[in-house]
Amino acid sequence: MDNINQQIAEYSKALRLPVFRRDYKVLAAEAAKERIDYEEYLLRLMEREWEVKQENRKKAQIRNARFPSKMYLTNLERDQLPQGAKEKLPLLERLDFIASSQNVILSGNPGTGKTHIAIGIGLKACMQGYKVLFTTVHRLLTQLRESQSQKTLKQVENQFEKYDLVICDEFGYVSFDKQGAELLFNHLSLRAGRKSTIITTNLGFDRWEEIFGDPVLTAALVDRLTHKAHLVNMNGESYRLKETKKMMNEK
């Protein structure tokens, strides 16, 4: 058995199987104690290697998604959500919309849970193996401008298309000039009908022209983003306002 274990240690190092190398002695002792055969011993090693790899992959997916914080769906006070979110969230958290390449638009006044829902769905998607990116519209536009000036825009676009889910937060907080509007339009259009995008916005579609400044471009983008999309009305009383009122009442 010692000779076999030595071979396992050597092979695991060559094949980059860190869990094999780390745990083979412990599992060998367990196998001897339980009197299990060699095949079962190897199976346990393989299962542990697989489980650790999967867990590390999930952690890497979450890290690479660049979430500003970890806001899980389990932390949501669902009874405090706007009615539209209460109705749509059970469907959205199944993540079928990602497999169907559908978009989600969370639209409503500030403080009603739009970003929390978007991040929560993104975290769950990472845990299920989807490749996710979180960005604010301001950060995305800055990246696009920089890549255009450095002549690397095509590379950024190719990378953007590969994400299973992109979350664009704070849509409507910053207006664009013509060049910025066209860059954002072209970038988001790359994913239309092919991959899923979640957008959080404090503006209704009738006011998107205020940020794009071009009625034709606005109409085209709204049409592409909303086609077969899940539209969630997030208008309601702000969480933060509720907390402030609660604190004032307690005092």
Side-chain angles (χ1 to χ4, degrees):
M1 190 70 171
D2 289 340
N3 185 46
I4 292 174
N5 282 339
Q6 182 60 36
Q7 289 180 344
I8 288 175
E10 291 174 359
Y11 291 150
S12 64
K13 184 176 182 179
L15 297 173
R16 295 182 181 178
L17 300 172
V19 178
F20 264 62
R21 193 163 63 253
R22 184 193 70 193
D23 294 349
Y24 75 93
K25 287 185 179 179
V26 174
L27 288 181
E30 291 178 2
K33 185 177 181 181
E34 298 176 27
R35 297 183 179 180
I36 64 173
D37 58 29
Y38 182 61
E39 287 78 8
E40 178 66 21
Y41 163 59
L42 276 182
L43 178 61
R44 289 188 183 185
L45 265 176
M46 292 170 63
E47 287 175 341
R48 185 169 294 191
E49 183 77 44
W50 170 256
E51 289 168 0
V52 172
K53 281 185 181 294
Q54 289 298 102
E55 189 61 31
N56 288 341
R57 184 167 179 263
K58 291 174 184 177
K59 290 178 181 177
Q61 293 276 56
I62 292 173
R63 184 170 60 253
N64 294 335
R66 304 175 191 170
F67 297 112
S69 59
K70 293 180 181 178
M71 305 167 73
Y72 294 94
L73 293 176
T74 51
N75 301 133
L76 270 174
E77 295 183 36
R78 300 198 179 206
D79 60 325
Q80 300 296 315
L81 291 173
Q83 188 59 36
K86 290 179 184 178
E87 295 172 357
K88 293 288 184 69
L89 188 54
L91 173 65
L92 296 178
E93 64 186 342
R94 285 161 44 187
L95 305 183
D96 294 341
F97 74 93
I98 300 178
S100 302
S101 302
Q102 294 174 283
N103 296 333
V104 177
I105 314 293
L106 299 162
S107 175
N109 53 292
T112 54
K114 298 186 295 296
T115 299
H116 191 147
I117 290 175
I119 291 176
I121 290 174
L123 284 165
K124 187 170 184 179
C126 286
M127 297 295 286
Q128 294 194 15
Y130 288 110
K131 190 176 181 181
V132 179
L133 172 69
F134 178 96
T135 183
T136 63
V137 172
H138 175 69
R139 187 199 307 160
L140 177 60
L141 191 54
T142 299
Q143 181 186 15
L144 293 177
R145 291 185 191 278
E146 290 176 352
S147 64
Q148 186 180 49
S149 65
Q150 296 168 5
K151 301 187 185 305
T152 57
L153 184 58
K154 187 61 179 177
Q155 294 171 243
V156 172
E157 290 176 344
N158 290 339
Q159 181 63 36
F160 196 68
E161 285 185 271
K162 293 178 181 178
Y163 289 105
D164 300 301
L165 174 64
V166 169
I167 300 169
C168 284
D169 197 31
E170 300 180 351
F171 197 93
Y173 285 86
V174 180
S175 58
F176 323 119
D177 57 17
K178 181 175 175 55
Q179 182 197 41
E182 290 175 352
L183 275 172
L184 194 61
F185 171 80
N186 292 333
H187 209 57
L188 292 176
S189 295
L190 291 171
R191 303 176 53 81
R194 299 166 59 188
K195 294 293 180 69
S196 296
T197 302
I198 294 178
I199 287 179
T200 73
T201 177
N202 62 327
L203 298 180
F205 297 126
D206 59 331
R207 294 185 59 194
W208 278 25
E209 188 180 331
E210 295 176 19
I211 37 177
F212 280 96
D214 183 329
V216 176
L217 198 65
T218 303
L221 183 61
V222 169
D223 181 66
R224 294 188 185 191
L225 289 178
T226 60
H227 182 60
K228 296 183 179 179
H230 296 276
L231 308 180
V232 185
N233 184 344
M234 294 293 295
N235 281 314
E237 189 175 359
S238 166
Y239 276 165
R240 292 184 286 273
L241 183 58
K242 289 178 183 178
E243 289 177 354
T244 301
K245 287 181 177 179
K246 183 179 178 181
M247 290 175 60
M248 291 178 67
N249 290 333
E250 288 175 351
K251 289 181 179 179

